[in-house]
Amino acid sequence: GDGSTIVFHSRATDLVIGDTNGHEDVFVYKIQTGQLIRAEQFSTGEEANEASFYPDVNEIGNMVVFESQATNLITSGGTTSGRQIFLWNLSSGGGSGSIQAITSGNGESRGASIDRSGNLIVFSSHASNLLETAGSDTNGNEDVFLFKLDDNKSFSYLCSRSSLGQPAVGGQSSDPQISGDGSTIVYQSSATNLVNGKGISLIKVALGGAGYFGSPTAIITDQNGPGTGAVISLENALDVYGQIREEAVKIISNGTGYINPLVTILPDPAH
């Protein structure tokens, strides 16, 4: 954020002395000093034994998050397995800083993004054991999680929930990004239950019918739901055979609250 620090990953072997692991590594470059540092086991100087990717850095350049398959990065000892999320704190541990594991799940974690303060980290994960309550992540999909550094806890918060607080179902959620102030998270998802009470945003004509003339009208109701307010225009929507042309159907008002909408075409009573 302040332009002082650049983070990246590279498979190059000649950026720092002694890079012989043959894997992608994460690097930090400090603009003012020209210092280039590689993520490794700082307490022993041991190289990462697997690849590391896709770092992100906070505003003042002292907190770096990244994903790695390495099992030997944790500064204070211990190991991880599989692709996990790590936090590199350049302000602690002395020298080049310290590295801690944000995840140590039973599935791969990836796509970490950090806010300006360096306190809030979002990522996606296939792991099912990241939440505090055992057995609470049962949807079998990749989910988006939030980790709060100042909570001093070993678990994360599930972000990919529906507007009713239900876990996402029907598809994966991934590629999260967090805003600088930490107030907003965006991600992509193929889950089918994230949004409830929708407005009408798309109408497809499955069968255009025939014999409609004059000015037919469309009414939208909501079967088994509270939806209301959607308005459709069929002005100039008929072809010479009296069929309804999809490209001419216009949504005047989206409405809200629709769960199972039904579109009914009413013929012009004058025809």
Side-chain angles (χ1 to χ4, degrees):
D2 67 359
S4 67
T5 308
I6 298 170
V7 294
F8 59 95
H9 76 255
S10 177
R11 195 177 175 86
T13 61
D14 59 347
L15 299 183
V16 295
I17 297 174
D19 189 345
T20 61
N21 64 359
H23 298 296
E24 288 86 349
D25 292 301
V26 164
F27 294 86
V28 170
Y29 180 76
K30 291 293 185 178
I31 297 292
Q32 291 184 336
T33 64
Q35 184 182 24
L36 182 64
I37 315 169
R38 180 177 61 151
E40 59 187 35
Q41 223 302 353
F42 293 120
S43 60
T44 64
E46 182 182 2
E47 295 183 274
N49 57 12
E50 285 292 344
S52 302
F53 308 95
Y54 308 116
D56 191 28
V57 64
N58 69 329
E59 183 170 32
I60 64 174
N62 68 329
M63 294 286 191
V64 179
V65 290
F66 61 96
E67 61 191 72
S68 180
Q69 297 167 324
T71 63
N72 64 335
L73 285 176
I74 304 175
T75 301
S76 58
T79 60
T80 56
S81 62
R83 187 182 294 248
Q84 305 293 343
I85 303 299
F86 294 86
L87 175 65
W88 181 359
N89 186 342
L90 284 92
S91 299
S92 72
S96 300
S98 63
I99 295 177
Q100 70 180 85
I102 296 300
T103 65
S104 186
N106 57 8
E108 289 193 344
S109 299
R110 63 184 71 239
S113 172
I114 193 168
D115 76 339
R116 284 196 301 257
S117 71
N119 180 50
L120 302 177
I121 300 166
V122 294
F123 57 92
S124 66
S125 181
H126 289 276
S128 62
N129 63 341
L130 298 182
L131 301 177
E132 182 179 27
T133 304
S136 59
D137 186 355
T138 59
N139 64 0
N141 292 319
E142 184 176 8
D143 290 306
V144 171
F145 296 88
L146 169 71
F147 183 88
K148 295 183 178 181
L149 188 63
D150 64 5
D151 272 3
N152 195 28
K153 297 176 181 177
S154 59
F155 66 90
S156 303
Y157 300 87
L158 181 62
C159 300
S160 47
R161 296 178 179 269
S162 74
S163 55
L164 301 178
Q166 302 163 333
V169 295
Q172 314 287 348
S173 300
S174 63
D175 301 305
Q177 291 286 317
I178 190 167
S179 61
D181 64 2
S183 66
T184 305
I185 298 167
V186 294
Y187 59 94
Q188 66 178 21
S189 181
S190 56
T192 58
N193 69 326
L194 293 180
V195 180
N196 292 277
K198 307 173 185 179
I200 305 298
S201 60
L202 175 67
I203 294 178
K204 290 189 176 182
V205 177
L207 187 62
Y212 291 101
F213 296 101
S215 300
T217 55
I219 296 177
I220 302 180
T221 55
D222 195 8
Q223 304 177 86
N224 307 317
T228 184
V231 178
I232 296 176
S233 169
L234 298 181
E235 185 178 356
N236 298 320
L238 302 179
D239 64 15
V240 295
Y241 303 105
Q243 301 177 107
I244 296 174
R245 299 180 298 121
E246 181 176 309
E247 63 272 17
V249 177
K250 295 182 179 180
I251 299 173
I252 305 301
S253 175
N254 301 99
T256 185
Y258 288 91
I259 296 175
N260 191 12
L262 174 67
V263 178
T264 302
I265 307 297
L266 301 178
D268 186 337
H271 293 270

